Amino acid sequence: MKITDISKIKLLAFDLDGTLTQHKSPLSPQARRTLDRLGERYRLVMVGAGMCRRIYEQMERYPIDIIGNYGMQRAVCDRDSGELVIVANESLPCDRLSVEERVTALREKFGYTHFTGDNVEYHSSGCVTFPVLGTKADIGDKLAFDPDRAKRRRIYPQVKQAFPEYTVFVGGSSSFDMAPAPYNKYYALDRYCKELGLAHDEVAYVGDDYGPGGNDESVYRSDFPFVEIDNYLDFPKIMEDFLK
């Protein structure tokens, strides 16, 4: 835990998958209770890789503000109605022909030329996913492909080099996620703090994906206090330090 003085903390920011829940799973009762208790003392916000609405629905409409798409989207939860209100929604153009050519070249270089579905997945925000096994790959094949991320981390530097206009992450179970630069979770959280008038040492980020290529890495390597979660089941116990 990279925190020297918990008494300074005013805002807690969270990753979702692997931190509060299993991948693409709803909140457990224990996680919900922990968030409820934390919300009595701190302002809370989710900082996600996906769209705000998807995060909100995965959390079964838990009342929390959300930063989505690495900062390209932001939403606030109306506590009275329980509705999520999108307050910012940015998008950037994508040169699909160039992206297709570069992904194809990477497949040929590293031997991933056999895939199911599309070569690349494009998102309305301008974010891009390079699905190593293709967009229609069987879920079992995806989960078995690279569970420790060793295969993707081995070629991660070359993928980063091929896409200098993007921030590249080792994403999901078998893909690389790319957000238009400068968007990443650090950029998103820093901008959010400026809007609220909060200093970095007044904010703690809670995440699990802080290794090389992880989408929490940019925050982990910054001056934001960082709480490491290596098993989402430990989340309630680890956060007890903030409730003393």
Side-chain angles (χ1 to χ4, degrees):
M1 185 183 296
K2 272 196 332 183
I3 299 180
T4 56
D5 189 356
I6 286 179
S7 68
K8 287 186 176 182
I9 302 300
K10 298 178 181 178
L11 170 71
L12 291 174
F14 303 96
D15 171 58
L16 180 55
D17 288 350
T19 300
L20 304 183
T21 71
Q22 289 192 72
H23 185 62
K24 295 186 178 179
S25 300
L27 293 173
S28 68
Q30 294 87 349
R32 292 183 76 94
R33 284 196 296 270
T34 300
L35 288 175
D36 288 344
R37 293 173 64 203
L38 291 168
E40 295 173 359
R41 295 197 185 190
Y42 307 94
R43 183 171 184 140
L44 309 181
V45 65
M46 298 300 304
V47 186
M51 297 182 72
C52 295
R53 174 64 59 181
R54 185 198 67 74
I55 294 168
Y56 189 53
E57 295 300 335
Q58 181 181 335
M59 297 180 73
E60 297 180 318
R61 298 177 164 241
Y62 186 86
I64 192 169
D65 294 345
I66 302 172
I67 301 170
N69 291 342
Y70 299 105
M72 302 184 78
Q73 190 176 74
R74 187 157 59 83
V76 297
C77 182
D78 185 315
R79 273 30 177 207
D80 294 327
S81 67
E83 290 302 313
L84 193 71
V85 180
I86 304 296
V87 296
N89 194 19
E90 302 172 47
S91 62
L92 291 173
C94 174
D95 185 344
R96 294 193 178 195
L97 179 59
S98 174
V99 169
E100 290 281 347
E101 290 175 346
R102 284 180 280 174
V103 168
T104 298
L106 287 166
R107 288 187 182 281
E108 292 173 350
K109 181 175 182 179
F110 296 109
Y112 295 120
T113 54
H114 298 289
F115 57 92
T116 304
D118 295 329
N119 189 34
V120 182
E121 182 178 1
Y122 300 97
H123 306 277
S124 58
S125 60
C127 293
V128 173
T129 299
F130 167 16
V132 178
L133 302 183
T135 57
K136 303 288 188 182
D138 177 79
I139 184 63
D141 292 338
K142 291 198 291 185
L143 291 174
F145 171 69
D146 190 22
D148 62 357
R149 302 191 173 194
K151 293 178 182 177
R152 284 170 294 159
R153 282 179 174 153
R154 192 157 47 243
I155 67 173
Y156 174 68
Q158 291 94 325
V159 179
K160 273 184 66 175
Q161 185 176 23
F163 290 94
E165 76 274 37
Y166 288 91
T167 308
V168 181
F169 310 97
V170 178
S173 57
S174 59
S175 62
F176 292 96
D177 294 334
M178 296 183 275
Y183 291 96
N184 60 30
K185 289 190 176 182
Y186 171 82
Y187 178 80
L189 188 56
D190 175 65
R191 188 162 65 164
Y192 185 70
C193 290
K194 287 175 180 174
E195 292 175 2
L196 296 179
L198 291 174
H200 287 194
D201 63 358
E202 295 177 308
V203 180
Y205 183 88
V206 186
D208 75 304
D209 197 10
Y210 52 87
N215 65 33
D216 298 326
E217 183 187 13
S218 61
V219 185
Y220 179 73
R221 294 187 179 278
S222 76
D223 60 338
F224 278 111
F226 193 101
V227 181
E228 303 167 12
I229 303 290
D230 294 318
N231 184 331
Y232 73 95
L233 295 173
D234 294 333
F235 168 71
K237 178 180 178 182
I238 290 173
M239 298 310 295
E240 283 295 327
D241 286 342
F242 290 85
L243 294 167
K244 293 177 180 177

